[in-house]
Amino acid sequence: MIKINKGKRFQQAVDAVEEFLRRAKGKDQTSSHSSADDKNRRNSSEERSRPNSGDEKRKLSLSEGKVKKNMGEGKKRVSSGSAERGSKSPLKRAQEQSPRKRGRPPKDEKDLTIPESSTVKGMMAGPMAAFKWQPTVSEPVKDADPHFHHFLLSQTEKETGSTSIQAADSTAVNGSITPTDKKIGFLGLGLMGSGIVSNLLKMGHTVTVWNRTAEKCDLFIQEGARLGRTPAEVVSTCDITFACVSDPKAAKDLVLGPSGVLQGIRPGKCYVDMSTVDADTVTELAQVIVSRGGRFLEAPVSGNQQLSNDGMLVILAAGDRGLYEDCSSCFQAMGKTSFFLGEVGNAAKMMLIVNMVQGSFMATIAEGLTLAQVTGQSQQTLLDILNQGQLASIFLDQKCQNILQGNFKPDFYLKYIQKDLRLAIALGDAVNHPTPMAAAANEVYKRAKALDQSDNDMSAVYRAYIH
């Protein structure tokens, strides 16, 4: 019963053991007429060649209890190995010691869900090492999570790489964190900033807000936020001030303009710029903040309005490492994971590369959908095929469904993705690296902007092909 419910490789292992025992038993029966000395010598030799010692009633039949025990031990070994791989940052160690609850099972429990093939290989490396078989590569392992190996690889890379602050689930929705006792300021309540501030408040942070259009602050004041009259006032009254604005010019004006951030900076004040800008802009801002005794961190975010509302953004940070760790509870409230990438400018470069890939991908999908339409193919069938293949993703499904339903409500403005493509191409030019795919996609977005002046969603590139 155990065997038939398991995968192909597991069955092969059990079959090999049973075949070995049948042959051993046959030899015992045919050699019963031999002398006692010969019999003793043969028994001694057989005992040495058997994978497990013991009397015949054990038979290595892998009874249900034995299998479960071995599988459990194998899982623990793999889980332990996965958890210990890579060096842990000071922040990770602090989080492990913290009584904070995150609304999700411990990582060790998640690691216990191991593909069956890993368990069998672990068992065969021990007492069953004498039995060998050739696995069938083309046959998938039954009952295994198809994404498990990718998950293990990504966790290993994260632990040995730069990830330090991480939440696998939306802490703003499904869990709870211990908010920092520092006073938090936030400048900019656009598509991304609004969701971020909402989650900071939900998780109990003390937040002071400012926005160029003051009316946008009203809802957050009702939720418990305080109102700052100018960026300088917010920075001067808060310990850590975040900002999320649209482009390099807006980021500079916010810091260097009248009553700007720089006017409120003094030694010890912290400024975190979450805008997607170029590396030169963020480096200039860092220099002026630090020159006044302040601390600076860049932390652009990857995601859209819905992910911002759900507290599921991906945060890319660089600059002051100590400030990055001080932002731990804030980053957990607003995002599902964050990366620390080193010196100032690295996060800006990485963010532009990420958005370049995403923007180019969306242009290709729009091109494919329109080509299907003009050649008489079903666009829905194309989407279904893509969702069953290696390109399957939430992003792909949501964007395509919006297009097929004629829903172009913005969750990331068309002008912003085109801005990011333009900055990414400039980044390539600065290091003499070709970006032909991004350049082609950028032309599509420029045409889409010319056809649609309503700041529509990036899905509007679909219309650029129709026209």
Side-chain angles (χ1 to χ4, degrees):
M1 183 179 296
I2 294 293
K3 185 173 70 174
I4 64 176
N5 289 328
K6 297 296 179 180
K8 182 72 173 181
R9 296 180 183 178
F10 188 94
Q11 295 179 22
Q12 289 173 328
V14 176
D15 290 341
V17 174
E18 292 176 345
E19 178 64 22
F20 180 87
L21 292 174
R22 283 195 295 270
R23 291 180 179 179
K25 184 175 180 180
K27 288 181 180 179
D28 289 340
Q29 293 175 349
T30 57
S31 61
S32 61
H33 62 280
S34 300
S35 64
D37 291 340
D38 290 339
K39 183 175 181 180
N40 289 336
R41 283 194 296 271
R42 283 195 301 274
N43 288 341
S44 177
S45 175
E46 288 174 3
E47 285 298 323
R48 287 193 299 270
S49 66
R50 286 178 184 170
N52 284 319
S53 61
D55 55 43
E56 189 179 67
K57 65 182 180 180
R58 291 168 60 187
K59 282 190 178 181
L60 290 179
S61 60
L62 300 178
S63 63
E64 182 171 355
K66 192 71 174 181
V67 171
K68 289 182 178 179
K69 180 179 179 181
N70 286 340
M71 290 177 65
E73 291 173 355
K75 292 175 183 177
K76 290 178 181 177
R77 285 195 295 272
V78 175
S79 174
S80 176
S82 174
E84 292 174 4
R85 279 196 297 269
S87 58
K88 296 182 179 179
S89 69
L91 183 57
K92 272 187 176 289
R93 290 195 294 270
Q95 288 174 334
E96 290 173 354
Q97 296 170 0
S98 171
R100 179 181 304 155
K101 296 181 179 179
R102 301 277 292 280
R104 64 187 179 101
K107 189 174 183 181
D108 285 343
E109 293 180 15
K110 185 178 292 185
D111 285 343
L112 290 178
T113 308
I114 299 172
E116 184 177 316
S117 58
S118 300
T119 304
V120 173
K121 289 178 181 178
M123 295 169 64
M124 296 307 292
M128 291 186 235
F131 306 112
K132 298 181 180 179
W133 71 91
Q134 296 297 325
T136 304
V137 177
S138 61
E139 294 181 4
V141 181
K142 295 181 180 179
D143 302 328
D145 183 349
H147 302 294
F148 184 80
H149 290 293
H150 177 268
F151 168 77
L152 283 183
L153 177 61
S154 66
Q155 294 304 304
T156 302
E157 292 172 346
K158 288 175 182 176
E159 290 172 1
T160 59
S162 58
T163 303
S164 291
I165 300 172
Q166 181 175 329
D169 299 314
S170 169
T171 53
V173 176
N174 299 322
S176 61
I177 62 175
T178 301
T180 179
D181 57 1
K182 298 181 182 297
K183 296 178 181 179
I184 304 300
F186 204 95
L187 312 175
L189 299 174
L191 287 179
M192 308 299 283
S194 295
I196 291 173
V197 171
S198 179
N199 285 319
L200 288 172
L201 291 170
K202 288 178 183 177
M203 293 296 102
H205 295 84
T206 300
V207 185
T208 299
V209 296
W210 174 90
N211 191 70
R212 185 173 55 183
T213 305
E215 290 76 14
K216 287 189 176 182
C217 296
D218 294 343
L219 176 62
F220 302 100
I221 301 303
Q222 296 174 10
E223 293 180 1
R226 302 173 183 177
L227 178 64
R229 292 175 296 179
T230 65
E233 180 183 289
V234 174
V235 172
S236 64
T237 59
C238 295
D239 300 304
I240 302 174
T241 300
F242 295 85
C244 188
V245 293
S246 58
D247 55 34
K249 183 181 184 304
K252 289 182 180 181
D253 290 346
L254 188 62
V255 174
L256 305 174
S259 300
V261 168
L262 196 59
Q263 302 302 313
I265 291 290
R266 60 177 184 269
K269 292 295 181 180
C270 303
Y271 186 65
V272 182
D273 194 338
M274 307 190 79
S275 313
T276 299
V277 298
D278 58 286
D280 290 342
T281 295
V282 77
T283 299
E284 179 183 347
L285 297 180
Q287 290 173 347
V288 297
I289 295 294
V290 173
S291 69
R292 295 288 183 91
R295 301 167 64 194
F296 182 85
L297 185 74
E298 59 167 330
V301 294
S302 178
N304 54 29
Q305 183 180 24
Q306 186 60 52
L307 293 175
S308 176
N309 293 339
D310 293 341
M312 295 291 284
L313 296 170
V314 175
I315 302 156
L316 311 183
D320 189 319
R321 179 61 185 254
L323 177 53
Y324 170 70
E325 296 180 353
D326 289 342
C327 293
S328 173
S329 70
C330 296
F331 286 161
Q332 290 179 43
M334 65 181 73
K336 67 175 180 178
T337 191
S338 67
F339 296 81
F340 184 79
L341 303 179
E343 63 183 18
V344 169
N346 286 345
K349 295 173 184 176
M350 185 65 80
M351 189 75 261
L352 291 177
I353 295 169
V354 169
N355 284 356
M356 178 188 74
V357 172
Q358 181 172 293
S360 300
F361 177 72
M362 189 60 220
T364 301
I365 292 301
E367 187 173 301
L369 284 170
T370 53
L371 182 59
Q373 182 182 41
V374 299
T375 57
Q377 305 304 306
S378 167
Q379 293 177 319
Q380 182 61 57
T381 300
L382 172 61
L383 174 57
D384 293 340
I385 293 171
L386 292 174
N387 277 331
Q388 292 299 316
Q390 293 178 320
L391 291 179
S393 66
I394 295 175
F395 176 80
L396 170 69
D397 186 63
Q398 288 181 342
K399 290 299 179 184
C400 289
Q401 290 292 357
N402 286 343
I403 289 174
L404 297 182
Q405 296 169 10
N407 175 18
F408 295 96
K409 180 182 179 181
D411 64 1
F412 196 92
Y413 284 136
L414 177 63
K415 64 179 181 180
Y416 294 150
I417 192 64
Q418 198 272 319
K419 175 263 298 183
D420 292 344
L421 281 171
R422 185 176 68 251
L423 292 176
I425 294 169
L427 176 62
D429 289 343
V431 293
N432 197 31
H433 183 79
T435 54
M437 299 299 103
N442 188 45
E443 293 302 314
V444 175
Y445 282 94
K446 286 163 61 176
R447 176 169 172 77
K449 281 177 59 181
L451 293 171
D452 192 326
Q453 299 296 322
S454 61
D455 289 339
N456 219 325
D457 183 89
M458 54 186 288
S459 299
V461 295
Y462 174 79
R463 295 176 177 175
Y465 286 99
I466 296 178
H467 294 83

